[in-house]
Amino acid sequence: MKHYILAIESSCDDTSAAVMDDEFICLSNVTASQQIHQQYGGVVPELASRAHQTNIIPVVDVALKQAKVDKNNLSAVAFTRGPGLLGSLLVGVSFAKTFAMSLNIPIIDVNHLDAHVLAHFVKDNPQQDVPSFPYVCLLVSGGNTQIIRVNSASDMEVLGKTIDDAAGETIDKAAKILDLPYPGGPHIDRLSQSGKPVLQFAKSHIPDYDYSFSGLKTSILYTLRDKLKENPDYIKENINDIAASVQQAVVDSLLLKFEKVLKDTKIKTIALAGGVSANSLLRQRFTQLGDKYGCKTFIPKFSYTTDNAAMVAACGMFKFLNGDFAPLDLPAYAR
Ligand code: KG4
């Protein structure tokens, strides 16, 4: 008998539901993104929770219909337990528990970061290639920057992480200085296409595989402040070059440490994950780095870069196949 699970993601500002079969084939992945935060220049937690409440039932309904799976044929419900915004998580967690209880099926808790790392196991067709263990994953999102050695779906080792700001946060802050809409990452990417990385910013040098982006962030701020003193129209006249310079500085910093890991560990399978993995320069340079070290390289499909329930389903399916279920009183966690 085939098994199907429903997965729910509601950790930040995307309400997403997916249905997956026990061969990791994604039968549907439906996401309602919240536009309301744009006018505030960042996610407003209370508004996010309310939007999740409005969206969750229709999103699940569409996901089940698209997958052509009746709710009575589901074997479990997986959900993002954390980390994320507590109010947002609570909507998904409560829904998952209630829905599973009404169907008398188990629940599976999923860590949001593990889900990003395992997004490469989401299959759109049975022939699709997936990473073999161990692999090294560069996880870059709005709130996290980590290098993770993935020994198995349940054994992940953080080799390096940011000691202050995340890469996405740095790009978003730079975009804010340039008066671009939130989130700034896609705008920086788009503007960079017609720019040259002419500006040099100071980067932090810290030991081991850890990252630090606060120095770069300050350097971007001070460089632009000085340029504006000389020419008040500097940003307007040079926005493409500034974007390209920011993008290059972040990508250089990310790959410097990742290359160090590749040299030291000699692992030959690498993967990119998280919202910033949508960045065109990062995707291109990550692939080149993989080629340089003879690695098999996994770059996520655009739909699996940002928050989505398909990746939660993949992580949940590993746990389902291991019979690793959660008790109904398991709480959500923000950090
Ligand atoms: O993983 P994610 O969806 O969520 C959180 O961490 O909450 O990542 C969002 C981040 C934001 O910082 C956004 O600006 C960035 O991913 N991002 C990009 C691009 N698309 C999204 N950064 C650079 N280039 C992009 N094309």
Side-chain angles (χ1 to χ4, degrees), residues 12 116 141-143 168-169 171-172 183-186 189 274-276 278-279 305-307:
C12 190
H116 269 302
S141 66
E169 207 174 333
I171 296 177
D172 290 341
D189 196 347
V276 183
N279 183 264
T305 56
T306 45
D307 293 346

Side-chain angles (χ1 to χ4, degrees), residues 14 16 29 31 33 116 119-120 122 124 128 140 185-186 189-190 193 247 272-284 287 298-311:
D14 292 305
S16 187
N29 181 41
T31 303
S33 299
H116 269 302
H120 299 279
V122 178
D124 294 321
Q128 192 177 313
V140 260
D189 196 347
R190 177 179 47 81
Q193 310 292 331
Q247 178 175 268
L272 191 59
V276 183
S277 68
N279 183 264
S280 46
L281 182 69
L282 181 59
R283 292 168 84 89
Q284 183 195 334
T287 308
F298 289 84
I299 307 275
K301 259 176 63 174
F302 280 108
S303 48
Y304 301 144
T305 56
T306 45
D307 293 346
N308 66 87
M311 65 183 195

Side-chain angles (χ1 to χ4, degrees), residues 228 232-240 242:
L228 284 170
D233 289 329
Y234 181 79
I235 289 183
K236 214 162 60 187
E237 289 168 6
N238 298 279
I239 194 148
N240 296 82
I242 303 169

Side-chain angles (χ1 to χ4, degrees), residues 2 21-27 120-130:
K2 222 170 175 53
D21 74 14
D22 51 11
E23 286 174 77
F24 291 82
I25 305 280
C26 181
L27 303 174
H120 299 279
F121 290 89
V122 178
K123 284 188 179 177
D124 294 321
N125 64 70
Q127 284 75 41
Q128 192 177 313
D129 206 7
V130 295

Side-chain angles (χ1 to χ4, degrees), residues 113-164:
L113 302 180
D114 290 359
H116 269 302
V117 172
L118 297 173
H120 299 279
F121 290 89
V122 178
K123 284 188 179 177
D124 294 321
N125 64 70
Q127 284 75 41
Q128 192 177 313
D129 206 7
V130 295
S132 48
F133 299 112
Y135 66 95
V136 207
C137 182
L138 176 60
L139 170 62
V140 260
S141 66
N144 292 280
T145 306
Q146 297 186 349
I147 300 177
I148 302 160
R149 183 190 160 109
V150 190
N151 297 317
S152 74
S154 57
D155 178 9
M156 300 186 196
E157 200 183 324
V158 178
L159 302 179
K161 61 180 186 323
T162 178
I163 58 163
D164 40 54

